[in-house]
Amino acid sequence: MTPHRTSQTMKPATAAKKLEVYLKATPAEFQEGTVSRDELDALRSDPPAWLRDLRRNGPHPRSVVAARLGVSISGLARGGVTEALTTQEIEELRAENPEWLQRERATQAEVQKEALRLKEKNATPAKPARPTSRKRP
């Protein structure tokens, strides 16, 4: 006889992070309860209307905003963006293309280029060391 397994639960903040939505924009019942792994899987596979709307229109958490703008979260902070933005606000920023956004995109491109270079370097097998022969006196 196997013991009854309880489902793991998580705080709403963790679930919102996994769903890539801004917690403060979720319904009150989501924010106040706990979310089981099964419930999280159900939200992912068949998202309710509120979740589809949040993903489409926002407000989006900073990680999503950063990804949509092609910058890092730190780059957002340096640019003065500290709060969640809606899809419309993200599009307006893209259209405006302020200097800080251009600079942060260039920085992010350099970081990604360097990461790729290091990945390729580490993927190339190192040449085996050649044994040296020592002459004994």
Side-chain angles (χ1 to χ4, degrees):
M1 182 179 217
T2 59
H4 177 65
R5 277 183 65 186
T6 58
S7 182
Q8 260 187 327
T9 60
M10 61 192 84
K11 294 179 182 179
T14 304
K17 187 173 183 178
K18 290 180 181 288
L19 292 169
E20 295 185 321
V21 294
Y22 187 56
L23 178 62
K24 292 180 182 179
T26 61
E29 58 269 10
F30 182 85
Q31 293 180 38
E32 295 165 0
T34 58
V35 180
S36 71
R37 294 247 178 228
D38 293 337
E39 290 169 332
L40 181 68
D41 291 342
L43 287 170
R44 284 179 172 157
S45 64
D46 187 23
W50 65 264
L51 182 55
R52 288 191 306 270
D53 185 51
L54 272 179
R55 287 180 171 166
R56 183 177 40 254
N57 302 319
H60 303 287
R62 290 185 310 148
S63 59
V64 173
V65 173
R68 289 188 178 190
L69 291 174
V71 300
S72 67
I73 294 174
S74 299
L76 283 179
R78 286 190 293 271
V81 178
T82 57
E83 294 297 320
L85 297 179
T86 63
T87 301
Q88 182 179 348
E89 292 168 326
I90 293 169
E91 292 303 320
E92 288 170 2
L93 257 177
R94 278 188 185 152
E96 187 180 308
N97 202 18
E99 183 185 330
W100 71 265
L101 182 57
Q102 295 172 35
R103 187 174 55 250
E104 291 301 332
R105 281 182 171 165
T107 300
Q108 186 71 1
E110 286 298 316
V111 168
Q112 290 173 344
K113 187 173 149 183
E114 179 65 9
L116 180 61
R117 184 190 70 79
L118 290 174
K119 182 178 178 182
E120 289 173 351
K121 178 183 173 189
N122 292 335
T124 306
K127 293 182 180 178
R130 232 175 24 168
T132 58
S133 59
R134 290 187 163 186
K135 293 184 180 178
R136 293 188 177 180

